[in-house]
Amino acid sequence: MAVQEARRGSGLDKGAYETAAHGGGCTCGDCPHGAREGHRRAVAAFLLRRDEFAAGQGLPAAVAHSASASRQWVSEELTQSAEAVAERGRAEGDAWLAGLGRRTAAVVWAAVVSLLLGQALTAVGAGWSAARTAGLAAALVVAGALTAASWFHRGRGGALAPVIGEDNRLSTSRAVAVAWVLFVAYAVLVLAGQLAVASGHDRRDALISGLELGRGAGAVTVLAVVCAVAVLVRRVVGLRVLGQRLQKVRADRPRASDLLTDDAGRGTFADIQYVVITAVALVFAAVRLARRPEQLPDLPWGLAVVVLVSAATYVAGKYAEGGRPVILSVVRAREAGDLDAPIRTGDDIEIRGAGFVPPGAQRADRLSRMVVRVGTVHVHVPLVPVTGGFSNPSDDLLTVPVPADVEPGRVEVQVVTGAGVETNRYAIDVTD
């Protein structure tokens, strides 16, 4: 009751937060300022409010006398503000994806222009050849296909739509597979272009023999493996999420760093080595194609095996990552000077364990979704702000009150994370 009165008296309801997030003027995606500015202002307003609460400022008198009431009031106010920030973030992400198609098309055609300039410079002295014409024509065909894909998927990231995963992040396995598919398709088109303009019978036979498996066995093997890895990883991740052995939180928008990091933005060895070794192999194959455009790039088996080992390491990393959250112990929270006592209704309890905060769920709107079941009562984990972040909840420790509705006796405690994954049940004794 005190919390509700304080909210009405303070005027910081959801509408007030939206006004604060807008900074006195509407900055939604449909307004001139754009979704990006609206999100920036909402984040600034939230951070300012969080740091004020962390410093003990902004508490209404109706709840200032009670530590539990003030904590609940602060948590609910920050939750509402975080929801406004998340809404602005989603709007910015949608607007960013809508413009990504145009940017990817521009990058593709810039690459075509760069190829034309490179061919023109290297043709000085050596002369223009049919292979150069075929290479430029193949680049135009690939660029046209990617531009058409960008138009058809203009609301989902343009040409990058196939490499964006279900969690709205760039998929490393799909990006590697798409890179190899595009390269092999370009190489075949180069051969087809030369075959179309070849006049001599011997020349045509030489170009056709360039497509024999013995010439490009290494490249074909790598292509098959990276495509299989992309399909396998999607299946593995999906099954682990459904089996609650992996926690996934949707991102606001994809970022280039997703190719090298985990969902929390930390660099991961499996992803980095897969991207680096794949990029090195692609560069080598591109050089071989430039030197011998009359055949598929003959990727040496030594380099092909290196790529296969890298792919196997990446798949093993996907199997090893994640894990189900677990409760290790539950104890009565004790402040300095308190006497030792059993757990009673109204007391705070500390839930100690691991995996309570999934990767990518460190934002306040995700943290506020955490729930603890104490018996049959669902308790929302309060947000406790400190300067620069939150002290509660954390990945290995949660502090929640035992509600008065919990009947004395033996009850079970269970945590539901922001990704919807449930922990094991842990039994505690609650006394009168």
Side-chain angles (χ1 to χ4, degrees):
M1 182 66 69
V3 173
Q4 295 175 356
E5 293 177 355
R7 183 178 293 108
R8 287 194 296 268
S10 64
L12 290 173
D13 55 6
K14 186 175 182 179
Y17 268 125
E18 290 177 351
T19 301
H22 284 254
C26 183
T27 53
C28 297
D30 297 332
C31 302
H33 295 286
R36 185 174 185 178
E37 179 65 16
H39 183 227
R40 186 191 66 80
R41 293 190 181 188
V43 170
F46 172 79
L47 295 179
L48 177 62
R49 196 63 178 165
R50 183 198 64 191
D51 292 343
E52 286 180 352
F53 287 147
Q57 304 173 0
L59 291 176
V63 298
H65 66 283
S66 172
S68 61
S70 61
R71 182 177 62 185
Q72 180 184 355
W73 185 86
V74 167
S75 178
E76 293 186 2
E77 294 300 319
L78 288 177
T79 297
Q80 292 187 9
S81 179
E83 290 175 355
V85 173
E87 182 181 353
R88 299 290 179 267
R90 288 188 292 269
E92 180 192 6
D94 293 341
W96 187 85
L97 278 178
L100 184 60
R102 296 187 297 271
R103 293 192 292 271
T104 53
V107 170
V108 167
W109 287 105
V112 173
V113 173
S114 299
L115 176 64
L116 175 60
L117 293 177
Q119 288 185 342
L121 292 176
T122 55
V124 176
W128 192 268
S129 63
R132 298 178 189 275
T133 302
L136 183 59
L140 292 174
V141 171
V142 173
L146 292 177
T147 303
S150 296
W151 187 85
F152 282 110
H153 299 280
R154 55 189 178 277
R156 279 291 302 157
L160 293 181
V163 301
I164 298 176
E166 287 73 14
D167 58 352
N168 208 30
R169 294 181 176 88
L170 290 181
S171 170
T172 303
S173 59
R174 297 185 195 180
V176 169
V178 166
W180 276 102
V181 168
L182 290 177
F183 174 76
V184 173
Y186 174 78
V188 173
L189 288 174
V190 170
L191 286 171
Q194 295 178 82
L195 185 61
V197 299
S199 57
H201 185 270
D202 294 339
R203 177 60 176 170
R204 289 195 294 270
D205 289 343
L207 291 172
I208 293 175
S209 64
L211 288 172
E212 293 180 356
L213 184 60
R215 301 280 183 93
V220 173
T221 302
V222 170
L223 174 65
V225 170
V226 297
C227 290
V229 166
V231 176
L232 177 62
V233 166
R234 180 178 182 182
R235 179 65 173 170
V236 168
V237 172
L239 290 178
R240 287 173 61 83
V241 170
L242 294 177
Q244 297 193 8
R245 297 187 300 275
L246 179 65
Q247 303 188 72
K248 275 286 186 181
V249 177
R250 183 177 174 84
D252 287 337
R253 67 176 180 87
R255 291 175 171 81
S257 60
D258 295 339
L259 300 177
L260 305 175
T261 62
D262 60 9
D263 292 353
R266 299 183 297 261
T268 57
F269 169 75
D271 293 65
I272 292 174
Q273 61 87 28
Y274 192 37
V275 171
V276 170
I277 291 180
T278 298
V280 170
L282 278 172
V283 170
F284 182 90
V287 172
R288 295 291 289 177
L289 178 63
R291 300 294 295 177
R292 294 183 177 178
E294 69 279 357
Q295 67 178 50
L296 285 176
D298 52 342
L299 198 66
W301 276 111
L303 183 56
V305 171
V306 170
V307 177
L308 300 186
V309 171
S310 175
T313 303
Y314 176 76
V315 173
K318 286 300 178 181
Y319 270 103
E321 73 177 1
R324 189 168 184 173
V326 59
I327 297 177
L328 301 177
S329 61
V330 179
V331 300
R332 176 177 176 269
R334 179 181 178 274
E335 297 181 0
D338 280 355
L339 298 177
D340 295 330
I343 298 176
R344 296 185 174 88
T345 56
D347 289 345
D348 288 342
I349 56 174
E350 290 183 356
I351 304 174
R352 301 171 183 177
F356 297 147
V357 181
Q362 291 81 10
R363 301 181 315 185
D365 63 303
R366 298 291 184 180
L367 295 176
S368 63
R369 296 182 181 181
M370 299 182 64
V371 176
V372 176
R373 294 196 189 105
V374 184
T376 59
V377 182
H378 292 196
V379 183
H380 287 270
V381 180
L383 299 177
V384 180
V386 294
T387 303
F390 297 92
S391 61
N392 186 65
S394 64
D395 189 61
D396 57 358
L397 180 65
L398 306 178
T399 301
V400 296
V402 178
D405 294 333
V406 174
E407 296 291 337
R410 195 162 186 81
V411 298
E412 291 182 333
V413 177
Q414 188 178 34
V415 176
V416 181
T417 70
V421 178
E422 299 177 342
T423 66
N424 58 304
R425 299 177 184 271
Y426 192 95
I428 62 172
D429 294 314
V430 178
T431 62
D432 291 332

